[in-house]
Amino acid sequence: MCGIVGYVGNRAAVPILLQGLKTLEYRGYDSAGLAVIEDEVVKIIRSQGKIAVLEDLVGERLSEATCGIGHTRWATHGRPSDLNSHPHTDCRGEIAMVHNGIIENYLELKEFLSDKGHEFTSETDTEVLPHLVEHYYQDNLLAAVSRAIKDLRGSYATVAVCNKEPNKLVAARKDTPLIIGIGDDEYFFASDITALLEHTRKIIVMDDGEVACLTPEGYQIYRDMQPIKKEITTVTWDAESAKKGGYKHFMLKEIHEQPWALQQTLKGRIADDRSGVRLPEFSLDKIQLQRIEKVTIVACGTSYHAGLIGKYAMEKILRLPVEVDIASEFRYRDPLIDKKTLMLVISQSGETADTLAALREAKRRGAHVVAITNVLGSTISREAHDVIYTWAGPEIAVASTKAYTTQLAALYLLTMYLAEKLGRMKANELQALIEDFYRIPEKIDEIFASCEEQIKNIAEKNLKSDDAFFVGRSMDYAVALEGSLKLKEISYIHAEAYAAGELKHGTLALIVEGVPVLALCTQRALIEKTISNIKEIKARDAHIIGLCYEGMKEVPQVVDDTIFLPDTNDLFAPILAVTPLQLLAYYAACARGCDVDQPRNLAKSVTVE
Ligand code: F6R
């Protein structure tokens, strides 16, 4: 969703702002703009469309400015247009502000400000901000912003500049991420770490209710106008990890990074002799664990699909009931959770508004909350009781790939850790399981070597239709859901996933000659049942692409194309099975000429409910 960059220092601000905005492109946006202070005048350039359009509009201008703010907008209030693009200004054009989030009481504030003579030019909620700051401004931007935010309801990360205080940025945050970057005599604001990596790895994550003021001389963070001290974090990601590294798209790079990313998730967490799993970040001791009566997993989208796999694994091994809920539904069904619930929240970004709200609700009801996330210092990571980081490196493509497989790895690690703690497995069985798990990354490399070309051909030849179906049973069904989401979000092919046995209860009516059906067949105990379902589909002349282990003889006999996976324990098959599905979606999207990394209408970090 929207992205913010701010710079103050001694270098030209515009190239830094534009480069930062480009790094944030992956979050999803429809317009872009910037404001700088030059010759003590606030100068604004903004436009609907891509950053390249903004870049052309800026040209060689504004090269003297050393202080400014930039923004990419993902429309919520008001359609994408030049006028609705940020930055927005006060009546006199002396204060400019950018904003991520939603000001829920903007209509009320607009009425109040209009009565005082303020004039508005956009349809946005954001525009009330500079007018409100103008209303409170008495030669002190910090004081005016600090006062203005007291009137706001909703969520915001916002940064202001004012021509009367030309070398200063003032920002405030509530429920929407904002990070301060610390350089040498230069300081930055950004919505996420990737925008800062070219300049600094030293960051401070702002918390709700804080206001920060940056000048070339230094930074200060305040709460209720009182200066506070905060810890500086040094991030391990480097600038290269946020670049394409020779791949045509970030998504392809990230698919191929999965073996490496999984090794990062496993690193230091598996005993050398594979006898056990170490998770020092999990704080419940054995006695506390024995009091847990159920596990509730909450997440959105792809992370929710990871949660479904977690349910199968945990219920099978731990014999504990596990519920999985979509975060946007969770809060509103008066959930049955209490201090006997272990709550897992899964979020790549660690900022998803619904998941964060679910986490807060669970804490309020006394559950112990463990977050599985990829982003250090993200809001979810800071609010959960415990955090299991996935360490997958930055994920830039909107479609999640390596974040998903590393979430699965974290869930398996947790399952095996709990199995040991709760005495649910014999030591030799656990060791054998961990041994199988440890070999998963190299098996993904085998899939690239043996199947990528075949998958590309299948995608180009067989995914031309406007519909596709994914079927499977048990864990295969959960992987089917993820495969179909990947396909629809980047190729815009209408795709649906079904539990294989469920198809004949309605959806079989849609199976006609040639329609592609992906049939997942990795769960050996259910293979005969799945094959029966495949035959029902084949009898309607669909084109069936089967996924099964090397050496399985029955599946190739009933499908049109077979993608073979390296053999593994069925429990871990989802990590292997999803890889060809990610590649299928990728190559289908490329063949259809889609914008793979930034699919239409979607945003990487969904910070509004
Ligand atoms: C799809 C995708 C989304 C996210 C969802 C949750 O490829 O990436 O469905 O999984 O928006 O995001 P996080 O994991 O950041 O909470």
Side-chain angles (χ1 to χ4, degrees):
M1 295 210 144
C2 308
I4 288 180
V5 188
Y7 174 78
V8 63
N10 300 308
R11 291 191 282 158
V14 168
I16 294 171
L17 296 177
L18 287 171
Q19 177 269 329
L21 290 181
K22 279 190 202 155
T23 319
L24 295 179
E25 270 191 307
Y26 78 98
R27 295 167 66 92
Y29 72 107
D30 44 57
S31 0
L34 53 82
V36 294
I37 303 193
E38 202 179 49
D39 305 326
E40 297 189 16
V41 175
V42 173
K43 296 188 178 164
I44 293 188
I45 302 184
R46 55 187 188 160
S47 155
Q48 184 188 344
K50 292 281 178 190
I51 292 167
V53 178
L54 177 69
E55 219 166 5
D56 282 349
L57 286 173
V58 176
E60 301 296 309
R61 288 186 289 157
L62 311 178
S63 58
E64 301 293 305
T66 56
C67 172
I69 50 181
H71 189 262
T72 45
R73 173 173 188 253
W74 188 86
T76 57
H77 292 53
R79 70 205 152 85
S81 72
D82 291 356
L83 273 184
N84 287 336
S85 308
H86 301 206
H88 290 283
T89 61
D90 65 334
C91 296
R92 289 188 287 251
E94 293 179 345
I95 294 165
M97 292 179 80
V98 290
H99 163 231
N100 294 354
I102 292 179
I103 307 299
E104 286 165 3
N105 58 336
Y106 82 104
L107 287 173
E108 202 180 288
L109 291 169
K110 207 166 175 173
E111 199 179 318
F112 164 78
L113 291 161
S114 298
D115 287 348
K116 301 239 172 277
H118 291 260
E119 283 179 13
F120 293 86
T121 54
S122 80
E123 303 159 289
T124 66
D125 53 333
T126 299
E127 203 185 354
V128 298
L129 288 175
H131 289 276
L132 197 59
V133 172
E134 178 187 19
H135 174 71
Y136 288 119
Y137 188 77
Q138 285 173 341
D139 296 324
N140 185 338
L141 186 61
L142 175 69
V145 171
S146 303
R147 175 62 193 85
I149 59 171
K150 289 190 190 306
D151 294 349
L152 305 180
R153 278 204 315 275
S155 60
Y156 50 84
T158 181
V159 189
V161 288
C162 173
N163 69 334
K164 291 186 182 139
E165 299 170 64
N167 273 319
K168 188 181 280 180
L169 301 177
V170 175
R173 166 207 156 126
K174 181 175 169 278
D175 288 342
T176 297
L178 195 61
I179 290 164
I180 301 171
I182 318 255
D184 294 330
D185 300 326
E186 57 180 8
Y187 299 89
F188 308 81
F189 282 119
S191 304
D192 71 46
I193 298 167
T194 49
L196 301 177
L197 293 175
E198 285 285 342
H199 310 290
T200 181
R201 289 204 219 162
K202 284 198 259 167
I203 62 155
I204 295 176
V205 181
M206 286 181 69
D207 281 299
D208 284 353
E210 290 175 357
V211 177
C213 180
L214 312 185
T215 66
E217 287 74 46
Y219 68 92
Q220 182 61 61
I221 303 165
Y222 301 84
R223 186 173 279 283
D224 296 325
M225 283 302 277
Q226 295 305 310
I228 56 166
K229 287 236 168 306
K230 292 201 63 168
E231 207 180 312
I232 298 177
T233 307
T234 304
V235 292
T236 51
W237 296 358
D238 62 16
E240 282 312 303
S241 61
K243 291 183 180 155
K244 282 189 199 148
Y247 284 91
K248 193 168 168 212
H249 295 104
F250 278 111
M251 182 176 176
L252 189 61
K253 175 182 176 238
E254 288 159 7
I255 292 172
H256 276 266
E257 272 175 353
Q258 291 180 112
W260 169 86
L262 286 162
Q263 275 156 359
Q264 301 309 303
T265 317
L266 268 50
K267 207 165 160 182
R269 287 170 168 160
I270 288 185
D272 290 344
D273 63 356
R274 322 277 189 259
S275 59
V277 170
R278 298 189 200 109
L279 273 185
E281 48 276 74
F282 189 82
S283 66
L284 294 189
D285 61 24
K286 197 170 170 182
I287 297 182
Q288 289 167 313
L289 264 176
Q290 279 163 342
R291 285 194 204 117
I292 296 293
E293 289 180 353
K294 73 167 178 178
V295 179
T296 298
I297 304 178
V298 177
C300 300
T302 286
S303 298
Y304 167 75
H305 295 157
L308 293 175
I309 303 283
K311 172 183 167 77
Y312 284 108
M314 289 185 157
E315 286 191 339
K316 188 173 167 60
I317 291 183
L318 306 177
R319 305 310 297 156
L320 260 181
V322 181
E323 285 173 1
V324 194
D325 223 327
I326 292 170
S328 55
E329 292 290 316
F330 174 77
R331 250 181 333 151
Y332 303 108
R333 65 174 176 85
D334 197 6
L336 293 170
I337 47 169
D338 56 24
K339 58 182 186 326
K340 292 182 191 143
T341 309
L342 174 63
M343 165 101 167
L344 303 182
V345 291
I346 309 176
S347 173
Q348 181 280 133
S349 61
E351 300 294 348
T352 302
D354 285 313
T355 312
L356 179 61
L359 175 159
R360 288 176 178 163
E361 180 64 22
K363 277 175 83 177
R364 204 178 62 75
R365 291 176 187 240
H368 185 80
V369 181
V370 178
I372 295 178
T373 183
N374 194 37
V375 181
L376 193 75
S378 54
T379 313
I380 286 176
S381 74
R382 283 177 302 132
E383 294 200 15
H385 296 114
D386 300 330
V387 189
I388 303 175
Y389 283 109
T390 47
W391 303 123
E395 188 178 71
I396 308 292
V398 163
S400 187
T401 54
K402 64 175 179 173
Y404 169 77
T405 41
T406 54
Q407 287 166 351
L408 294 187
L411 287 161
Y412 288 127
L413 284 170
L414 181 61
T415 305
M416 293 187 286
Y417 173 85
L418 295 177
E420 188 185 352
K421 285 273 165 294
L422 293 168
R424 297 289 202 270
M425 276 183 109
K426 293 197 189 106
N428 61 337
E429 285 170 0
L430 183 64
Q431 191 166 21
L433 198 64
I434 295 174
E435 193 64 59
D436 280 334
F437 182 53
Y438 194 75
R439 298 197 48 220
I440 290 291
E442 72 198 50
K443 291 184 180 177
I444 300 183
D445 270 330
E446 286 173 35
I447 295 175
F448 295 138
S450 63
C451 313
E452 186 159 357
E453 212 38 49
Q454 181 205 6
I455 293 167
K456 183 168 184 272
N457 286 334
I458 293 176
E460 287 168 0
K461 275 203 214 108
N462 301 110
L463 291 178
K464 284 185 179 153
S465 93
D466 288 335
D467 302 291
F469 294 87
F470 291 70
V471 296
R473 283 172 175 261
S474 169
M475 280 187 158
D476 279 339
Y477 169 47
V479 180
L481 285 165
E482 175 55 11
S484 94
L485 177 61
K486 282 294 88 91
L487 186 66
K488 69 187 125 191
E489 70 176 321
I490 61 165
S491 74
Y492 315 144
I493 295 172
H494 165 240
E496 290 194 48
Y498 281 90
E502 186 64 14
L503 213 63
K504 56 182 159 297
H505 298 289
T507 312
L508 205 54
L510 296 176
I511 303 294
V512 290
E513 190 180 345
V515 70
V517 178
L518 274 293
L520 287 106
C521 309
T522 71
Q523 300 299 300
R524 276 171 262 238
L526 299 167
I527 202 74
E528 287 176 4
K529 304 267 177 225
T530 310
I531 286 180
S532 302
N533 300 135
I534 292 175
K535 286 188 172 161
E536 291 157 8
I537 300 166
K538 193 62 212 159
R540 274 83 194 169
D541 287 331
H543 184 92
I544 304 179
I545 302 149
L547 251 87
C548 67
Y549 300 116
E550 281 152 8
M552 269 187 167
K553 298 224 167 52
E554 318 87 318
V555 177
Q557 287 168 16
V558 291
V559 302
D560 297 286
D561 291 299
T562 313
I563 298 169
F564 287 108
L565 305 171
D567 204 346
T568 189
N569 187 313
D570 291 4
L571 190 73
F572 306 128
I575 304 194
L576 299 185
V578 81
T579 309
L581 302 187
Q582 295 166 342
L583 288 169
L584 270 174
Y586 172 76
Y587 285 114
C590 290
R592 292 162 74 96
C594 300
D595 186 348
V596 173
D597 284 337
Q598 288 160 39
R600 69 182 178 213
N601 305 339
L602 299 182
K604 183 71 183 164
S605 179
V606 185
T607 48
V608 294
E609 285 186 36

